[in-house]
Amino acid sequence: GVVVWGAYFVTESAVFDNALQPVTPPPFPIPEGNEEDWTFITAATDRHTLYLRQGNAVYRYASGETGLTLLYDLDLRGGRVVTASVNGGVIGVRGQQYFQLEPGATAVNRQQVRIASPPRAVTFLKMDPRGQVWGAPPSGQTLFFMDGETGVFVSMGSVSPRMGRVQDVAFVGHVAYGLSSPAGDIFRLDIEAPWNEWDGVNPVILASLRDKGYPNASGGIIAAGDSRLVSGWTAAPGGHGGALAVTTADNGRTRIVENPLGRQGITGL
């Protein structure tokens, strides 16, 4: 989107004057280093205050100030800033959590959103060995589970810091193995252990096929015994059809079998 800052129009990567002509160099200080490796945070910028991002660092600048103010230099791990706070910080969300970062923040203190998730479409349903029903919405990288007797359900956090959705899960005892797109991730979630996705402990990403050309987990996942997982994939646009991925559950080692039935995506197992 476009926001107004002072007498200028600001997009994510450019500044324009009131005749819609690019302004170069920009009429404010910029972060040190590569002059092109920063962007605006238009969700937080308003008529008086400008917010810029360079890598994980976020800066604030108001008209009349002599330089940029560093707000924080933190990895939000998939979180995103949605607005500025009244005291010059920023507020953001990450899955079912929110956070507020004040100037000088050294950690992302996340709080759970304490409201029920609205009803959403369900992409799959699976039952675990204890009779709980698991599913996922079509976006958000989140899971839910529901008690099969009472109908009470719990929405969980994001299984991955990357954008996308959970496509399918398979259970081996109290462990769920799942797929997400379009990150091409295969993850492991111990449903009896504490949730600690932020530190990559539970759930944990076992393997990622996106860099191998298969971001779309189109064929689901099955557990072949206790130690082997088989999943079906479709190549990225311009790729080579589809593949089966055979993953060792304990270490994530994955072998890719391309186009087992000809050059086409895998849509079911």
Side-chain angles (χ1 to χ4, degrees):
V2 178
V3 294
V4 175
W5 174 72
Y8 302 94
F9 295 99
V10 176
T11 69
E12 185 176 279
S13 58
V15 183
F16 300 89
D17 62 20
N18 57 13
L20 296 182
Q21 297 301 308
V23 179
T24 305
F28 48 81
I30 60 175
E32 296 180 359
N34 187 334
E35 294 184 356
E36 298 179 353
D37 68 350
W38 53 269
T39 59
F40 298 105
I41 304 178
T42 55
T45 296
D46 61 20
R47 185 177 294 274
H48 306 289
T49 308
L50 197 65
Y51 290 83
L52 302 96
R53 179 188 293 111
Q54 183 184 49
N56 292 328
V58 167
Y59 299 87
R60 185 188 68 213
Y61 176 75
S63 299
E65 295 180 344
T66 58
L68 299 174
T69 298
L70 176 64
L71 294 185
Y72 62 84
D73 190 351
L74 299 167
D75 185 355
L76 302 183
R77 306 187 190 182
R80 61 186 178 91
V81 171
V82 296
T83 190
S85 61
V86 294
N87 53 0
V90 295
I91 297 170
V93 295
R94 183 178 185 272
Q96 293 290 105
Q97 299 174 327
Y98 69 94
F99 55 85
Q100 183 169 341
L101 295 171
E102 305 302 334
T106 58
V108 183
N109 296 316
R110 308 174 317 281
Q111 303 292 326
Q112 198 71 14
V113 177
R114 300 295 181 184
I115 59 173
S117 298
R120 290 184 286 178
V122 177
T123 56
F124 69 88
L125 292 173
K126 289 289 180 69
M127 184 175 289
D128 69 19
R130 295 188 297 180
Q132 296 181 126
V133 179
W134 291 72
S139 62
Q141 294 284 38
T142 61
L143 284 165
F144 71 85
F145 65 90
M146 182 184 73
D147 186 293
E149 296 293 333
T150 65
V152 174
F153 75 94
V154 176
S155 292
M156 310 187 80
S158 298
V159 302
S160 169
R162 292 183 276 197
M163 299 295 288
R165 60 192 179 278
V166 179
Q167 295 282 125
D168 195 17
V169 293
F171 293 93
V172 179
H174 58 85
V175 175
Y177 295 96
L179 309 175
S180 72
S181 293
D185 289 337
I186 303 172
F187 64 88
R188 179 187 189 275
L189 170 65
D190 187 333
I191 63 178
E192 294 184 353
W195 181 275
N196 187 3
E197 179 271 330
W198 180 260
D199 295 316
V201 175
N202 188 46
V204 61
I205 303 298
L206 288 177
S208 181
L209 275 62
R210 180 169 188 164
D211 293 340
K212 297 178 173 61
Y214 294 97
N216 302 309
S218 56
I221 184 171
I222 58 174
D226 294 337
S227 61
R228 194 168 56 163
L229 310 166
V230 181
S231 51
W233 300 82
T234 296
H240 301 287
L244 293 176
V246 183
T247 302
T248 304
D250 58 352
N251 58 25
R253 188 176 295 115
T254 299
R255 177 170 61 94
I256 297 177
V257 182
E258 293 188 302
N259 296 323
L261 297 174
R263 187 170 173 172
Q264 58 186 342
I266 306 298
T267 57
L269 298 177

